Amino acid sequence: MKSLFPQKSFPDSYDSLEKIFNNTYNGIAILTLDGDWIKVNDSLCDMLGYTKHELYNMLIDNIVFRDDLGVHLKKYERLMQGNIDRYRVMQRYFHKDGSIIWFLISVSLISAIDGNPTQMIWQFSDITSRKLNQDKLKLMLRVVREQNERLSSFADIITHNLRSHSGNLSIVKGFLEEEFSWLKDNESFGLLTKAIDNLEETVSHLTEVAKIKPVEVTELQVLNLYDYVEKAIYNVAAVARNTNTTIINDVNEEFCIKGLPAYVDSIVLNFLTNAIKYRSDDRTPQIELTTQEEDAYIVLRIADNGMGIDLDMYGDKLFQLYKTFHTNKDSIGLGLFITKNHIESMGGKVEVTSEVDVGTEFCIFFKKA
């Protein structure tokens, strides 16, 4: 009787394995337990630039970068003791043309029927491009860090010297007023007095900016956000009462963040005072504070129904130094600049949405504790 199913021919299993071994993208090698080549595939030969015959006739250590000769040792011992089934290491090899190749090597054992290991199989992945990019990034970060340190030192020197000079000018001005009382009515002296006052104010602002430093993770403390919001609300209670502003604290009492107490105090207080300062005369001022978890952050939302900001016009300048967006005479454009830097120095970020004559909402992302 004729079979309903046609017979299929299967390739020899050894030939199939041989094709897989040689045609796989990654390099593969079978080695003795002492680390001598037994078999290598075509991909590994292409990676290293050697023929199979050349590789079989050289010790593997001869093409390993000297500093990486011992990278297998500890993990290999654990593998042979049965503590791990496989391991991975990064190791540098010399290409036949003399260039250096970074490999990520995965190592496992080939065991006999009785379970005893007889050989090793190594899989080679070329990660040279990745390592070069990482090295470039590390170099760039080091350069940026060094530049920041130089700029920080420069800022410290400048602010110190300016404080000294402005202080001296103020003292001399005082001496002149005592010695020549008639100068108080002199128009030019009045202009000089105003210039000295402005200089002292500018130096004060620059001093505050110069204090902003990167915060080490070890410096961050676990802080209950609700407590800091309550403290800030208490500190603005008199101003809120005088302006008939309602402040609603719906912050989750259980949420804790990572931060510096002085920074968190300043951040919450600054946003609250801004919300009161830029209230609308067309409606009763209201500020609402809420929180939510978002990935690795606790997000504090501070929403008001104030004047709002035209983000199309000012959005890219909102947090820049000395940028103001309303005609309020007390605005100097320093608070948001410092506040944003405080937030970012603790690993957070700030986002804003706003509509003119509707209100503004700031979202402060604090690292979750």
Side-chain angles (χ1 to χ4, degrees), residues 74-108:
K74 291 182 180 179
K75 291 183 177 180
Y76 177 73
E77 289 178 356
R78 295 185 64 204
L79 182 72
M80 294 302 295
Q81 291 168 2
N83 296 326
I84 54 176
D85 295 327
R86 64 185 65 86
Y87 69 82
R88 294 197 303 176
V89 294
M90 285 190 292
Q91 192 173 34
R92 286 167 289 184
Y93 281 70
F94 286 106
H95 190 277
K96 187 176 181 179
D97 64 11
S99 61
I100 292 176
I101 307 171
W102 274 96
F103 284 120
L104 178 63
I105 304 175
S106 300
V107 180
S108 56

PDB file of all heavy atoms in Angstrom, residues 74-108:
ATOM      1  N   LYS A  74      39.380  33.417  38.045  1.00  0.00           N
ATOM      2  CA  LYS A  74      38.475  33.192  39.180  1.00  0.00           C
ATOM      3  C   LYS A  74      37.177  32.534  38.738  1.00  0.00           C
ATOM      4  O   LYS A  74      36.675  31.603  39.386  1.00  0.00           O
ATOM      5  CB  LYS A  74      38.199  34.514  39.893  1.00  0.00           C
ATOM      6  CG  LYS A  74      39.399  35.083  40.626  1.00  0.00           C
ATOM      7  CD  LYS A  74      39.040  36.375  41.358  1.00  0.00           C
ATOM      8  CE  LYS A  74      40.252  36.926  42.097  1.00  0.00           C
ATOM      9  NZ  LYS A  74      39.937  38.204  42.806  1.00  0.00           N
ATOM     10  N   LYS A  75      36.611  33.032  37.635  1.00  0.00           N
ATOM     11  CA  LYS A  75      35.347  32.473  37.163  1.00  0.00           C
ATOM     12  C   LYS A  75      35.534  31.043  36.648  1.00  0.00           C
ATOM     13  O   LYS A  75      34.650  30.196  36.814  1.00  0.00           O
ATOM     14  CB  LYS A  75      34.745  33.363  36.071  1.00  0.00           C
ATOM     15  CG  LYS A  75      34.258  34.707  36.597  1.00  0.00           C
ATOM     16  CD  LYS A  75      33.610  35.533  35.506  1.00  0.00           C
ATOM     17  CE  LYS A  75      33.069  36.841  36.066  1.00  0.00           C
ATOM     18  NZ  LYS A  75      32.416  37.677  35.018  1.00  0.00           N
ATOM     19  N   TYR A  76      36.689  30.763  36.031  1.00  0.00           N
ATOM     20  CA  TYR A  76      36.971  29.407  35.538  1.00  0.00           C
ATOM     21  C   TYR A  76      37.050  28.416  36.700  1.00  0.00           C
ATOM     22  O   TYR A  76      36.537  27.297  36.614  1.00  0.00           O
ATOM     23  CB  TYR A  76      38.276  29.410  34.743  1.00  0.00           C
ATOM     24  CG  TYR A  76      38.696  28.036  34.259  1.00  0.00           C
ATOM     25  CD1 TYR A  76      38.017  27.423  33.219  1.00  0.00           C
ATOM     26  CD2 TYR A  76      39.747  27.358  34.866  1.00  0.00           C
ATOM     27  CE1 TYR A  76      38.387  26.152  32.777  1.00  0.00           C
ATOM     28  CE2 TYR A  76      40.122  26.089  34.432  1.00  0.00           C
ATOM     29  CZ  TYR A  76      39.442  25.497  33.396  1.00  0.00           C
ATOM     30  OH  TYR A  76      39.803  24.243  32.965  1.00  0.00           O
ATOM     31  N   GLU A  77      37.657  28.823  37.795  1.00  0.00           N
ATOM     32  CA  GLU A  77      37.741  27.962  38.976  1.00  0.00           C
ATOM     33  C   GLU A  77      36.350  27.645  39.511  1.00  0.00           C
ATOM     34  O   GLU A  77      36.051  26.505  39.876  1.00  0.00           O
ATOM     35  CB  GLU A  77      38.590  28.638  40.061  1.00  0.00           C
ATOM     36  CG  GLU A  77      40.073  28.692  39.730  1.00  0.00           C
ATOM     37  CD  GLU A  77      40.871  29.413  40.797  1.00  0.00           C
ATOM     38  OE1 GLU A  77      40.247  29.936  41.746  1.00  0.00           O
ATOM     39  OE2 GLU A  77      42.115  29.451  40.682  1.00  0.00           O
ATOM     40  N   ARG A  78      35.471  28.654  39.550  1.00  0.00           N
ATOM     41  CA  ARG A  78      34.106  28.425  40.022  1.00  0.00           C
ATOM     42  C   ARG A  78      33.351  27.508  39.061  1.00  0.00           C
ATOM     43  O   ARG A  78      32.538  26.680  39.486  1.00  0.00           O
ATOM     44  CB  ARG A  78      33.375  29.755  40.165  1.00  0.00           C
ATOM     45  CG  ARG A  78      33.956  30.692  41.232  1.00  0.00           C
ATOM     46  CD  ARG A  78      33.089  31.923  41.394  1.00  0.00           C
ATOM     47  NE  ARG A  78      31.773  31.556  41.887  1.00  0.00           N
ATOM     48  CZ  ARG A  78      30.673  32.280  41.705  1.00  0.00           C
ATOM     49  NH1 ARG A  78      30.735  33.407  41.006  1.00  0.00           N
ATOM     50  NH2 ARG A  78      29.507  31.874  42.194  1.00  0.00           N
ATOM     51  N   LEU A  79      33.613  27.656  37.756  1.00  0.00           N
ATOM     52  CA  LEU A  79      32.980  26.797  36.757  1.00  0.00           C
ATOM     53  C   LEU A  79      33.395  25.346  36.959  1.00  0.00           C
ATOM     54  O   LEU A  79      32.553  24.436  36.951  1.00  0.00           O
ATOM     55  CB  LEU A  79      33.363  27.286  35.358  1.00  0.00           C
ATOM     56  CG  LEU A  79      32.748  26.525  34.178  1.00  0.00           C
ATOM     57  CD1 LEU A  79      31.262  26.838  34.060  1.00  0.00           C
ATOM     58  CD2 LEU A  79      33.460  26.906  32.866  1.00  0.00           C
ATOM     59  N   MET A  80      34.684  25.122  37.137  1.00  0.00           N
ATOM     60  CA  MET A  80      35.209  23.764  37.305  1.00  0.00           C
ATOM     61  C   MET A  80      34.759  23.139  38.625  1.00  0.00           C
ATOM     62  O   MET A  80      34.631  21.914  38.728  1.00  0.00           O
ATOM     63  CB  MET A  80      36.737  23.770  37.212  1.00  0.00           C
ATOM     64  CG  MET A  80      37.278  24.145  35.837  1.00  0.00           C
ATOM     65  SD  MET A  80      36.678  23.042  34.536  1.00  0.00           S
ATOM     66  CE  MET A  80      37.423  21.491  35.027  1.00  0.00           C
ATOM     67  N   GLN A  81      34.505  23.957  39.623  1.00  0.00           N
ATOM     68  CA  GLN A  81      34.033  23.450  40.917  1.00  0.00           C
ATOM     69  C   GLN A  81      32.527  23.187  40.916  1.00  0.00           C
ATOM     70  O   GLN A  81      31.984  22.657  41.888  1.00  0.00           O
ATOM     71  CB  GLN A  81      34.375  24.454  42.023  1.00  0.00           C
ATOM     72  CG  GLN A  81      35.865  24.564  42.310  1.00  0.00           C
ATOM     73  CD  GLN A  81      36.210  25.766  43.183  1.00  0.00           C
ATOM     74  OE1 GLN A  81      35.323  26.512  43.610  1.00  0.00           O
ATOM     75  NE2 GLN A  81      37.491  25.950  43.449  1.00  0.00           N
ATOM     76  N   GLY A  82      31.867  23.551  39.828  1.00  0.00           N
ATOM     77  CA  GLY A  82      30.434  23.319  39.727  1.00  0.00           C
ATOM     78  C   GLY A  82      29.583  24.379  40.392  1.00  0.00           C
ATOM     79  O   GLY A  82      28.367  24.209  40.540  1.00  0.00           O
ATOM     80  N   ASN A  83      30.192  25.487  40.784  1.00  0.00           N
ATOM     81  CA  ASN A  83      29.429  26.559  41.443  1.00  0.00           C
ATOM     82  C   ASN A  83      28.596  27.365  40.452  1.00  0.00           C
ATOM     83  O   ASN A  83      27.594  27.968  40.822  1.00  0.00           O
ATOM     84  CB  ASN A  83      30.382  27.491  42.196  1.00  0.00           C
ATOM     85  CG  ASN A  83      31.098  26.793  43.332  1.00  0.00           C
ATOM     86  OD1 ASN A  83      30.535  25.906  43.976  1.00  0.00           O
ATOM     87  ND2 ASN A  83      32.352  27.158  43.566  1.00  0.00           N
ATOM     88  N   ILE A  84      29.029  27.403  39.193  1.00  0.00           N
ATOM     89  CA  ILE A  84      28.284  28.104  38.147  1.00  0.00           C
ATOM     90  C   ILE A  84      28.258  27.231  36.898  1.00  0.00           C
ATOM     91  O   ILE A  84      29.110  26.360  36.721  1.00  0.00           O
ATOM     92  CB  ILE A  84      28.910  29.483  37.811  1.00  0.00           C
ATOM     93  CG1 ILE A  84      30.393  29.349  37.469  1.00  0.00           C
ATOM     94  CG2 ILE A  84      28.707  30.472  38.950  1.00  0.00           C
ATOM     95  CD1 ILE A  84      31.057  30.644  37.034  1.00  0.00           C
ATOM     96  N   ASP A  85      27.242  27.451  36.042  1.00  0.00           N
ATOM     97  CA  ASP A  85      27.114  26.663  34.817  1.00  0.00           C
ATOM     98  C   ASP A  85      27.848  27.300  33.640  1.00  0.00           C
ATOM     99  O   ASP A  85      28.231  26.609  32.694  1.00  0.00           O
ATOM    100  CB  ASP A  85      25.642  26.502  34.441  1.00  0.00           C
ATOM    101  CG  ASP A  85      24.883  25.682  35.469  1.00  0.00           C
ATOM    102  OD1 ASP A  85      25.488  24.767  36.056  1.00  0.00           O
ATOM    103  OD2 ASP A  85      23.700  25.979  35.696  1.00  0.00           O
ATOM    104  N   ARG A  86      28.022  28.610  33.704  1.00  0.00           N
ATOM    105  CA  ARG A  86      28.682  29.346  32.610  1.00  0.00           C
ATOM    106  C   ARG A  86      29.141  30.690  33.175  1.00  0.00           C
ATOM    107  O   ARG A  86      28.739  31.089  34.259  1.00  0.00           O
ATOM    108  CB  ARG A  86      27.716  29.553  31.443  1.00  0.00           C
ATOM    109  CG  ARG A  86      26.525  30.412  31.757  1.00  0.00           C
ATOM    110  CD  ARG A  86      25.546  30.468  30.601  1.00  0.00           C
ATOM    111  NE  ARG A  86      24.954  29.172  30.339  1.00  0.00           N
ATOM    112  CZ  ARG A  86      23.872  28.717  30.980  1.00  0.00           C
ATOM    113  NH1 ARG A  86      23.294  29.451  31.932  1.00  0.00           N
ATOM    114  NH2 ARG A  86      23.380  27.534  30.701  1.00  0.00           N
ATOM    115  N   TYR A  87      29.942  31.382  32.404  1.00  0.00           N
ATOM    116  CA  TYR A  87      30.349  32.731  32.804  1.00  0.00           C
ATOM    117  C   TYR A  87      30.679  33.556  31.575  1.00  0.00           C
ATOM    118  O   TYR A  87      30.834  33.012  30.466  1.00  0.00           O
ATOM    119  CB  TYR A  87      31.525  32.701  33.780  1.00  0.00           C
ATOM    120  CG  TYR A  87      32.851  32.238  33.214  1.00  0.00           C
ATOM    121  CD1 TYR A  87      33.678  33.120  32.507  1.00  0.00           C
ATOM    122  CD2 TYR A  87      33.294  30.938  33.403  1.00  0.00           C
ATOM    123  CE1 TYR A  87      34.892  32.705  31.990  1.00  0.00           C
ATOM    124  CE2 TYR A  87      34.511  30.513  32.894  1.00  0.00           C
ATOM    125  CZ  TYR A  87      35.309  31.401  32.187  1.00  0.00           C
ATOM    126  OH  TYR A  87      36.515  30.997  31.669  1.00  0.00           O
ATOM    127  N   ARG A  88      30.782  34.867  31.780  1.00  0.00           N
ATOM    128  CA  ARG A  88      31.148  35.780  30.692  1.00  0.00           C
ATOM    129  C   ARG A  88      32.249  36.715  31.169  1.00  0.00           C
ATOM    130  O   ARG A  88      32.260  37.140  32.318  1.00  0.00           O
ATOM    131  CB  ARG A  88      29.939  36.607  30.239  1.00  0.00           C
ATOM    132  CG  ARG A  88      28.845  35.777  29.606  1.00  0.00           C
ATOM    133  CD  ARG A  88      27.883  36.632  28.802  1.00  0.00           C
ATOM    134  NE  ARG A  88      27.263  37.683  29.598  1.00  0.00           N
ATOM    135  CZ  ARG A  88      26.441  38.603  29.092  1.00  0.00           C
ATOM    136  NH1 ARG A  88      26.165  38.607  27.795  1.00  0.00           N
ATOM    137  NH2 ARG A  88      25.904  39.516  29.865  1.00  0.00           N
ATOM    138  N   VAL A  89      33.163  37.015  30.274  1.00  0.00           N
ATOM    139  CA  VAL A  89      34.229  37.980  30.555  1.00  0.00           C
ATOM    140  C   VAL A  89      34.435  38.864  29.329  1.00  0.00           C
ATOM    141  O   VAL A  89      34.080  38.481  28.207  1.00  0.00           O
ATOM    142  CB  VAL A  89      35.569  37.288  30.909  1.00  0.00           C
ATOM    143  CG1 VAL A  89      35.464  36.525  32.204  1.00  0.00           C
ATOM    144  CG2 VAL A  89      36.037  36.400  29.769  1.00  0.00           C
ATOM    145  N   MET A  90      35.005  40.032  29.561  1.00  0.00           N
ATOM    146  CA  MET A  90      35.456  40.889  28.464  1.00  0.00           C
ATOM    147  C   MET A  90      36.965  40.746  28.368  1.00  0.00           C
ATOM    148  O   MET A  90      37.668  40.825  29.382  1.00  0.00           O
ATOM    149  CB  MET A  90      35.042  42.342  28.699  1.00  0.00           C
ATOM    150  CG  MET A  90      33.575  42.604  28.465  1.00  0.00           C
ATOM    151  SD  MET A  90      33.136  44.366  28.474  1.00  0.00           S
ATOM    152  CE  MET A  90      33.421  44.752  30.204  1.00  0.00           C
ATOM    153  N   GLN A  91      37.457  40.547  27.152  1.00  0.00           N
ATOM    154  CA  GLN A  91      38.884  40.305  26.977  1.00  0.00           C
ATOM    155  C   GLN A  91      39.333  40.869  25.628  1.00  0.00           C
ATOM    156  O   GLN A  91      38.596  40.797  24.647  1.00  0.00           O
ATOM    157  CB  GLN A  91      39.164  38.793  27.038  1.00  0.00           C
ATOM    158  CG  GLN A  91      40.629  38.426  27.153  1.00  0.00           C
ATOM    159  CD  GLN A  91      40.814  36.927  27.393  1.00  0.00           C
ATOM    160  OE1 GLN A  91      40.038  36.112  26.892  1.00  0.00           O
ATOM    161  NE2 GLN A  91      41.833  36.570  28.158  1.00  0.00           N
ATOM    162  N   ARG A  92      40.536  41.448  25.641  1.00  0.00           N
ATOM    163  CA  ARG A  92      41.092  42.029  24.417  1.00  0.00           C
ATOM    164  C   ARG A  92      42.030  41.051  23.719  1.00  0.00           C
ATOM    165  O   ARG A  92      42.823  40.372  24.373  1.00  0.00           O
ATOM    166  CB  ARG A  92      41.845  43.320  24.741  1.00  0.00           C
ATOM    167  CG  ARG A  92      40.949  44.488  25.063  1.00  0.00           C
ATOM    168  CD  ARG A  92      41.725  45.643  25.689  1.00  0.00           C
ATOM    169  NE  ARG A  92      42.146  45.329  27.053  1.00  0.00           N
ATOM    170  CZ  ARG A  92      42.767  46.187  27.848  1.00  0.00           C
ATOM    171  NH1 ARG A  92      43.072  47.400  27.397  1.00  0.00           N
ATOM    172  NH2 ARG A  92      43.102  45.839  29.070  1.00  0.00           N
ATOM    173  N   TYR A  93      41.903  41.032  22.376  1.00  0.00           N
ATOM    174  CA  TYR A  93      42.754  40.181  21.540  1.00  0.00           C
ATOM    175  C   TYR A  93      43.416  41.029  20.459  1.00  0.00           C
ATOM    176  O   TYR A  93      42.865  42.049  20.045  1.00  0.00           O
ATOM    177  CB  TYR A  93      41.924  39.082  20.875  1.00  0.00           C
ATOM    178  CG  TYR A  93      41.590  37.921  21.787  1.00  0.00           C
ATOM    179  CD1 TYR A  93      40.686  38.080  22.829  1.00  0.00           C
ATOM    180  CD2 TYR A  93      42.180  36.682  21.617  1.00  0.00           C
ATOM    181  CE1 TYR A  93      40.374  37.030  23.679  1.00  0.00           C
ATOM    182  CE2 TYR A  93      41.883  35.616  22.441  1.00  0.00           C
ATOM    183  CZ  TYR A  93      40.969  35.805  23.483  1.00  0.00           C
ATOM    184  OH  TYR A  93      40.686  34.755  24.316  1.00  0.00           O
ATOM    185  N   PHE A  94      44.577  40.556  20.007  1.00  0.00           N
ATOM    186  CA  PHE A  94      45.251  41.210  18.884  1.00  0.00           C
ATOM    187  C   PHE A  94      44.786  40.598  17.569  1.00  0.00           C
ATOM    188  O   PHE A  94      44.840  39.381  17.383  1.00  0.00           O
ATOM    189  CB  PHE A  94      46.770  41.063  19.000  1.00  0.00           C
ATOM    190  CG  PHE A  94      47.388  41.931  20.054  1.00  0.00           C
ATOM    191  CD1 PHE A  94      47.841  41.383  21.237  1.00  0.00           C
ATOM    192  CD2 PHE A  94      47.509  43.306  19.861  1.00  0.00           C
ATOM    193  CE1 PHE A  94      48.412  42.180  22.220  1.00  0.00           C
ATOM    194  CE2 PHE A  94      48.079  44.105  20.837  1.00  0.00           C
ATOM    195  CZ  PHE A  94      48.526  43.550  22.017  1.00  0.00           C
ATOM    196  N   HIS A  95      44.314  41.440  16.674  1.00  0.00           N
ATOM    197  CA  HIS A  95      44.034  41.011  15.313  1.00  0.00           C
ATOM    198  C   HIS A  95      45.368  40.751  14.609  1.00  0.00           C
ATOM    199  O   HIS A  95      46.425  41.230  15.039  1.00  0.00           O
ATOM    200  CB  HIS A  95      43.245  42.106  14.580  1.00  0.00           C
ATOM    201  CG  HIS A  95      42.699  41.715  13.254  1.00  0.00           C
ATOM    202  ND1 HIS A  95      43.465  41.749  12.103  1.00  0.00           N
ATOM    203  CD2 HIS A  95      41.466  41.273  12.881  1.00  0.00           C
ATOM    204  CE1 HIS A  95      42.712  41.358  11.080  1.00  0.00           C
ATOM    205  NE2 HIS A  95      41.501  41.059  11.523  1.00  0.00           N
ATOM    206  N   LYS A  96      45.326  40.010  13.534  1.00  0.00           N
ATOM    207  CA  LYS A  96      46.563  39.708  12.803  1.00  0.00           C
ATOM    208  C   LYS A  96      47.240  40.977  12.297  1.00  0.00           C
ATOM    209  O   LYS A  96      48.480  41.041  12.179  1.00  0.00           O
ATOM    210  CB  LYS A  96      46.256  38.774  11.621  1.00  0.00           C
ATOM    211  CG  LYS A  96      47.501  38.260  10.910  1.00  0.00           C
ATOM    212  CD  LYS A  96      47.133  37.256   9.821  1.00  0.00           C
ATOM    213  CE  LYS A  96      48.392  36.723   9.139  1.00  0.00           C
ATOM    214  NZ  LYS A  96      48.063  35.723   8.094  1.00  0.00           N
ATOM    215  N   ASP A  97      46.443  42.046  12.039  1.00  0.00           N
ATOM    216  CA  ASP A  97      47.033  43.301  11.551  1.00  0.00           C
ATOM    217  C   ASP A  97      47.558  44.179  12.681  1.00  0.00           C
ATOM    218  O   ASP A  97      48.042  45.291  12.455  1.00  0.00           O
ATOM    219  CB  ASP A  97      46.013  44.075  10.706  1.00  0.00           C
ATOM    220  CG  ASP A  97      44.790  44.534  11.513  1.00  0.00           C
ATOM    221  OD1 ASP A  97      44.808  44.454  12.766  1.00  0.00           O
ATOM    222  OD2 ASP A  97      43.797  44.977  10.884  1.00  0.00           O
ATOM    223  N   GLY A  98      47.475  43.698  13.941  1.00  0.00           N
ATOM    224  CA  GLY A  98      48.013  44.432  15.077  1.00  0.00           C
ATOM    225  C   GLY A  98      46.997  45.255  15.848  1.00  0.00           C
ATOM    226  O   GLY A  98      47.293  45.745  16.936  1.00  0.00           O
ATOM    227  N   SER A  99      45.813  45.438  15.294  1.00  0.00           N
ATOM    228  CA  SER A  99      44.772  46.200  15.997  1.00  0.00           C
ATOM    229  C   SER A  99      44.207  45.369  17.146  1.00  0.00           C
ATOM    230  O   SER A  99      44.367  44.146  17.203  1.00  0.00           O
ATOM    231  CB  SER A  99      43.660  46.602  15.029  1.00  0.00           C
ATOM    232  OG  SER A  99      43.041  45.459  14.468  1.00  0.00           O
ATOM    233  N   ILE A 100      43.538  46.059  18.069  1.00  0.00           N
ATOM    234  CA  ILE A 100      43.002  45.388  19.253  1.00  0.00           C
ATOM    235  C   ILE A 100      41.492  45.228  19.102  1.00  0.00           C
ATOM    236  O   ILE A 100      40.779  46.153  18.709  1.00  0.00           O
ATOM    237  CB  ILE A 100      43.323  46.192  20.532  1.00  0.00           C
ATOM    238  CG1 ILE A 100      44.843  46.163  20.788  1.00  0.00           C
ATOM    239  CG2 ILE A 100      42.580  45.627  21.736  1.00  0.00           C
ATOM    240  CD1 ILE A 100      45.281  47.005  21.963  1.00  0.00           C
ATOM    241  N   ILE A 101      41.006  44.034  19.426  1.00  0.00           N
ATOM    242  CA  ILE A 101      39.577  43.740  19.363  1.00  0.00           C
ATOM    243  C   ILE A 101      39.080  43.417  20.772  1.00  0.00           C
ATOM    244  O   ILE A 101      39.700  42.639  21.501  1.00  0.00           O
ATOM    245  CB  ILE A 101      39.292  42.527  18.454  1.00  0.00           C
ATOM    246  CG1 ILE A 101      39.930  42.727  17.080  1.00  0.00           C
ATOM    247  CG2 ILE A 101      37.792  42.291  18.318  1.00  0.00           C
ATOM    248  CD1 ILE A 101      39.873  41.477  16.226  1.00  0.00           C
ATOM    249  N   TRP A 102      37.979  44.030  21.140  1.00  0.00           N
ATOM    250  CA  TRP A 102      37.319  43.721  22.415  1.00  0.00           C
ATOM    251  C   TRP A 102      36.298  42.617  22.166  1.00  0.00           C
ATOM    252  O   TRP A 102      35.431  42.742  21.310  1.00  0.00           O
ATOM    253  CB  TRP A 102      36.609  44.946  22.973  1.00  0.00           C
ATOM    254  CG  TRP A 102      37.468  45.865  23.789  1.00  0.00           C
ATOM    255  CD1 TRP A 102      38.106  46.996  23.377  1.00  0.00           C
ATOM    256  CD2 TRP A 102      37.751  45.732  25.186  1.00  0.00           C
ATOM    257  NE1 TRP A 102      38.783  47.579  24.427  1.00  0.00           N
ATOM    258  CE2 TRP A 102      38.583  46.821  25.550  1.00  0.00           C
ATOM    259  CE3 TRP A 102      37.399  44.806  26.167  1.00  0.00           C
ATOM    260  CZ2 TRP A 102      39.047  47.014  26.846  1.00  0.00           C
ATOM    261  CZ3 TRP A 102      37.871  44.987  27.459  1.00  0.00           C
ATOM    262  CH2 TRP A 102      38.685  46.083  27.795  1.00  0.00           C
ATOM    263  N   PHE A 103      36.381  41.545  22.938  1.00  0.00           N
ATOM    264  CA  PHE A 103      35.405  40.463  22.840  1.00  0.00           C
ATOM    265  C   PHE A 103      34.646  40.318  24.160  1.00  0.00           C
ATOM    266  O   PHE A 103      35.223  40.454  25.245  1.00  0.00           O
ATOM    267  CB  PHE A 103      36.083  39.119  22.549  1.00  0.00           C
ATOM    268  CG  PHE A 103      36.533  38.942  21.136  1.00  0.00           C
ATOM    269  CD1 PHE A 103      37.868  38.728  20.835  1.00  0.00           C
ATOM    270  CD2 PHE A 103      35.617  38.956  20.093  1.00  0.00           C
ATOM    271  CE1 PHE A 103      38.291  38.549  19.529  1.00  0.00           C
ATOM    272  CE2 PHE A 103      36.027  38.774  18.779  1.00  0.00           C
ATOM    273  CZ  PHE A 103      37.368  38.582  18.499  1.00  0.00           C
ATOM    274  N   LEU A 104      33.350  40.033  24.045  1.00  0.00           N
ATOM    275  CA  LEU A 104      32.589  39.522  25.183  1.00  0.00           C
ATOM    276  C   LEU A 104      32.527  38.015  24.970  1.00  0.00           C
ATOM    277  O   LEU A 104      31.953  37.542  23.983  1.00  0.00           O
ATOM    278  CB  LEU A 104      31.184  40.121  25.213  1.00  0.00           C
ATOM    279  CG  LEU A 104      30.276  39.618  26.345  1.00  0.00           C
ATOM    280  CD1 LEU A 104      30.847  39.996  27.700  1.00  0.00           C
ATOM    281  CD2 LEU A 104      28.857  40.158  26.181  1.00  0.00           C
ATOM    282  N   ILE A 105      33.138  37.252  25.886  1.00  0.00           N
ATOM    283  CA  ILE A 105      33.290  35.806  25.703  1.00  0.00           C
ATOM    284  C   ILE A 105      32.405  35.064  26.701  1.00  0.00           C
ATOM    285  O   ILE A 105      32.480  35.299  27.911  1.00  0.00           O
ATOM    286  CB  ILE A 105      34.754  35.383  25.895  1.00  0.00           C
ATOM    287  CG1 ILE A 105      35.662  36.174  24.941  1.00  0.00           C
ATOM    288  CG2 ILE A 105      34.913  33.883  25.670  1.00  0.00           C
ATOM    289  CD1 ILE A 105      37.138  35.918  25.145  1.00  0.00           C
ATOM    290  N   SER A 106      31.553  34.189  26.166  1.00  0.00           N
ATOM    291  CA  SER A 106      30.704  33.342  27.016  1.00  0.00           C
ATOM    292  C   SER A 106      31.324  31.946  27.056  1.00  0.00           C
ATOM    293  O   SER A 106      31.603  31.355  26.006  1.00  0.00           O
ATOM    294  CB  SER A 106      29.287  33.265  26.436  1.00  0.00           C
ATOM    295  OG  SER A 106      28.702  34.552  26.365  1.00  0.00           O
ATOM    296  N   VAL A 107      31.542  31.432  28.265  1.00  0.00           N
ATOM    297  CA  VAL A 107      32.256  30.170  28.443  1.00  0.00           C
ATOM    298  C   VAL A 107      31.357  29.146  29.140  1.00  0.00           C
ATOM    299  O   VAL A 107      30.717  29.454  30.150  1.00  0.00           O
ATOM    300  CB  VAL A 107      33.537  30.374  29.275  1.00  0.00           C
ATOM    301  CG1 VAL A 107      34.278  29.054  29.466  1.00  0.00           C
ATOM    302  CG2 VAL A 107      34.449  31.410  28.618  1.00  0.00           C
ATOM    303  N   SER A 108      31.301  27.935  28.589  1.00  0.00           N
ATOM    304  CA  SER A 108      30.584  26.826  29.233  1.00  0.00           C
ATOM    305  C   SER A 108      31.359  25.543  28.978  1.00  0.00           C
ATOM    306  O   SER A 108      32.288  25.505  28.156  1.00  0.00           O
ATOM    307  CB  SER A 108      29.144  26.712  28.705  1.00  0.00           C
ATOM    308  OG  SER A 108      29.135  26.569  27.299  1.00  0.00           O
TER     309      SER A 108
END
